[in-house]
């Protein structure tokens, strides 16, 4: 408690500067929340905690924080304005980030993505946040096209710090931009913003071991500082109560065994203060959940260290080269993880209340509209799977003694494809749910609305992937026009398959007989016979890169757009190396993968005829969904 009071005292003077009455500008979004009966203070807190995305995100946040003891706390969030690189320079910096982490371990720079700090952290009342974002939009509109690119950067190294410093004259231009934002923010949102007065720079490494300096310096010199780049002015916020806490991420769900323990949802973030650890015994930590706001003890081996910025919320992202339109696009590729036997099901739950978080470092934002003549690659994860929703024993529950399928829930498909083998083969090769089919059709309909056609569809041999591809094509109204090519080389990392054998997949001829539009004449690049159980990580990454490259080569000059429907891991494994980036280590790879939800979707474009690709914004909006628990009216409504 003493530590919390000290923290509150620290921020009180900044709160007192906000003396004018707040002006609410959330408009219809706030009105909808108020009409639903939420108090205004809670509705505003939910909106700013989710980046003001939409009513659904705010409602999800409110429902998950219903028992949060600080739900009605008036303490505002803390905000900061950064300049973030994109394009080729971001690729260069991402490569440095990953290579330095692999060879030298994590240093303090890894806590926050590459950026140039434009101002100090400042407080803003919840009711003023909309006005604050408008201040940023107005500033960017005023400066559009006036900041020369590329920014001149110079490498600086010392025994304790490595960074890229902005040339002095250009730094003064950026400081003037920051000063204009501070003026706009004061006028519109009644906040006090202090522009950064020190030398402007991108930090590459600090607080590292002296023995790592030569290697870090060598890696830093590989960064092409003159690489093309669109810099983005991005406004972030964080919860001031946890500014000095260590950030952890939940690897496994945990159900409390005692009253003082914290329930853990996979993917949630935990804030841990060293001051509060005296109450925890060995092997346990005391922390507070980002997803629920609740605090308690949790097993240490259920969490992993995360970066501070993983929990930050984006409130506006604007290109200084193009128009000042806000961008909150996320990506299907991001990052944090663990070793051991994993399965696709580990990545199936979207943690509550985590919408609007800081977008991942590797997203490339196109500075112009994509040309329709460019080669495009879409990679999509399959839809909601049966064994995750209904448990690993769903097969035993849904098949009778004669092997006949009988569904017991509306979210189970009314029928399943016939299998030449045993129905027990569904244990390792499960179908998607009814909702999974709906998810996939929504994606197809969105592609249709965006006037995006698909020339070729390739998918993993897993039934859930084939069914997802079929439903995407139905939504796209191409289910009879475009055939699905089943490619075993797109199957997930075989280390994640339980047992000592691979799944028994339904052959293409039988899939076609089950009215799935599969190309029975297609000859795979990597046949099933070439897959091995418990393959190494390097083998999986090499396999994914090889098959993706061969698919793109086959499709070139025959069509512009290729869709791959496979697994969560495919969004990273099939796109990373075609961008010219080196593979991540296995731990960072799994951290990326576990954040990818059902129907997670990413897009790549080829840069001219170079054979080099870059991630770009997909032509469709992301699809957000949440878990829905089983409801039994007898148990719920007939209690004494």
């Amino acid at each position: 408690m003493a530590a919390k009071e000290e923290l509150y005292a620290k921020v009180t003077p900044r709160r007192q500067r906000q003396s004018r009455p707040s002006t609410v500008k959330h408009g219809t979004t706030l009105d909808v929340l108020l009409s639903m009966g939420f108090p205004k203070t809670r509705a505003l807190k939910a909106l700013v905690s989710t980046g003001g995305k939409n009513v659904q995100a705010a409602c999800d946040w409110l429902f998950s924080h219903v028992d949060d003891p600080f739900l009605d706390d008036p303490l505002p969030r803390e905000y900061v304005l950064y300049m973030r690189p994109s394009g080729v320079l971001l690729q260069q910096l991402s490569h440095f980030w990953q290579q330095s982490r692999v060879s030298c371990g994590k240093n303090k720079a890894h806590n926050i993505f590459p950026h140039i700090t434009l101002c100090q952290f400042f407080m803003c009342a919840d009711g003023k946040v909309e006005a604050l974002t408008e201040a940023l939009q107005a500033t960017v509109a005023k400066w559009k096209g006036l900041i020369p690119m590329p920014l001149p950067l110079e490498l600086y190294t010392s025994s304790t710090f490595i960074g890229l410093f902005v040339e002095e004259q250009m730094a003064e231009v950026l400081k003037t931009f920051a000063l204009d934002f501070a003026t706009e923010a004061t006028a519109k949102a009644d906040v006090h913003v202090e522009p950064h007065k020190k030398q402007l720079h991108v930090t590459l490494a600090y607080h590292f071991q002296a023995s790592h300096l030569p290697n870090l310096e060598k890696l830093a010199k590989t960064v092409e500082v003159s690489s093309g780049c669109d810099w983005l002015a991005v406004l972030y916020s964080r919860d001031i109560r946890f500014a000095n806490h260590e950030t952890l991420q939940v690897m496994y769900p945990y159900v409390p065994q005692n009253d003082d323990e914290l329930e853990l949802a996979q993917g949630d973030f935990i804030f841990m203060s060293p001051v509060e650890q005296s109450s925890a015994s060995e092997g346990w930590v005391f922390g507070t959940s980002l997803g629920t706001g609740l605090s308690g003890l949790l097993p240490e081996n259920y969490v992993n260290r995360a970066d501070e910025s993983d929990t930050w919320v984006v409130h506006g992202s604007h290109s200084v080269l193009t128009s000042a339109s806000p961008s909150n696009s996320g990506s299907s590729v991001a990052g944090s993880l663990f070793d051991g036997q994993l399965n696709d099901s580990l990545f199936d739950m979207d943690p509550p209340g985590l919408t609007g978080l800081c977008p991942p470092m590797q997203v490339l934002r196109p500075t112009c509209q994509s040309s329709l003549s460019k080669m495009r690659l879409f990679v999509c994860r399959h839809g909601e799977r049966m064994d995750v929703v209904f448990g690993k024993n769903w097969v035993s529950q849904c098949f009778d003694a004669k092997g006949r399928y009988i569904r017991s829930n509306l979210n189970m498909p009314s029928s399943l494809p016939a299998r030449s083998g045993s129905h027990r083969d569904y244990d390792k090769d499960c179908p998607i749910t009814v909702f999974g089919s709906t998810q996939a059709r929504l994606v197809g309909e969105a592609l249709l609305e965006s006037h995006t056609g698909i020339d070729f569809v390739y998918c993993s041999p897993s039934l859930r992937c084939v069914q997802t591809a079929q439903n995407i094509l139905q939504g796209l109204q191409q289910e009879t026009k475009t055939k699905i090519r089943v490619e075993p080389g797109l199957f997930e990392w075989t280390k994640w398959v339980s047992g000592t054998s691979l799944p028994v997949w339904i052959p293409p001829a039988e899939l076609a007989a089950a009215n799935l539009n599969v190309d029975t004449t297609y000859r795979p690049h990597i046949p099933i016979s070439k897959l091995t159980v418990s393959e190494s990580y390097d083998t999986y990454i090499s396999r994914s890169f090889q098959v993706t490259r061969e698919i793109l080569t086959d499709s070139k000059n025959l069509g512009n757009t290729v869709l791959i429907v496979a697994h969560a891991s495919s969004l990273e494994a099939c796109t990373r190396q075609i961008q010219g980036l080196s593979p991540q280590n296995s731990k960072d790879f799994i951290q990326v993968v576990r954040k990818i939800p059902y129907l997670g979707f990413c897009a790549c474009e080829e840069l001219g005829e170079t054979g080099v690709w870059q991630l770009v914004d997909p032509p469709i909006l992301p699809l957000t969904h949440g878990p829905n628990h089983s409801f039994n009216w007898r148990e719920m409504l007939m209690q004494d």
Side-chain angles (χ1 to χ4, degrees), residues 20 67 181 255 329 340 371 374 503:
R20 285 184 246 167
D67 295 319
F181 167 70
V255 178
S329 67
S371 168
K374 290 182 178 178

Side-chain angles (χ1 to χ4, degrees), residues 285-338:
V285 297
F286 185 89
T288 302
S289 162
L290 172 67
T292 65
L294 300 176
S295 302
L297 295 168
L298 56 133
E300 189 174 18
N301 60 343
Y302 277 59
V303 293
N304 225 357
R305 280 182 171 78
D307 297 337
E308 175 188 345
S309 57
D310 286 346
T311 63
W312 292 3
V313 175
V314 180
H315 296 273
S317 176
H318 308 274
S319 166
V320 298
L321 291 181
T322 56
S323 62
S325 58
S327 165
N328 291 317
S329 67
S331 160
S332 300
V333 188
S336 305
L337 113 122
F338 56 96

Side-chain angles (χ1 to χ4, degrees), residues 15 22 46 216 252 275 297 330 372 374 405 422 557 568 573 575:
R15 292 175 61 199
S22 63
L216 289 171
Y252 308 94
V275 178
L297 295 168
L372 293 178
K374 290 182 178 178
Y405 169 72
S422 167
N557 301 322
T575 63

Side-chain angles (χ1 to χ4, degrees), residues 391-401 403-404 416-417 419-431 501-505:
K392 294 294 183 181
N393 295 323
W394 76 272
V395 175
S396 300
Q397 297 166 1
C398 292
F399 285 86
D400 62 18
R404 293 175 297 194
L416 293 178
R419 306 189 81 117
S420 55
S422 167
H423 65 272
R424 300 304 316 186
D425 290 338
Y426 277 117
D427 281 328
K428 288 187 177 182
D429 186 31
C430 70
S501 62
L502 294 175
V504 178
W505 294 296

Side-chain angles (χ1 to χ4, degrees), residues 85 89 92-98 100-101 105-115 153-157 160-165 201-208 216-225 361:
L89 180 58
Q92 298 272 340
L93 292 171
S94 300
H95 181 72
F96 170 84
W97 232 252
Q98 289 138 11
S100 63
R101 204 163 187 167
K106 183 176 179 180
N107 64 67
K108 274 288 191 178
H110 288 114
N111 278 333
I112 304 176
F113 40 76
H115 68 279
L153 301 172
E154 183 177 354
L155 177 64
Y156 170 84
T157 63
T160 58
F161 177 89
I162 300 176
L164 300 173
F165 280 79
H201 62 275
V202 178
T203 301
L204 296 183
Y206 74 104
H207 281 198
F208 50 82
L216 289 171
E217 189 172 12
K218 181 180 178 181
L219 287 170
K221 289 179 179 178
T222 66
V223 178
E224 297 286 345
V225 294
M361 183 168 65

Side-chain angles (χ1 to χ4, degrees), residues 444-463:
E445 290 168 1
L447 289 169
L448 181 65
E449 290 174 6
S450 68
H451 306 290
T452 303
I454 301 295
D455 297 305
F456 298 101
V457 178
Y458 292 81
C459 78
S460 159
S462 295
L463 178 59

Side-chain angles (χ1 to χ4, degrees), residues 148 165 209 435 526 528 586 600 613:
F165 280 79
Q209 296 179 24
F435 184 52
I526 300 179
I528 293 175
S586 61
W613 295 69

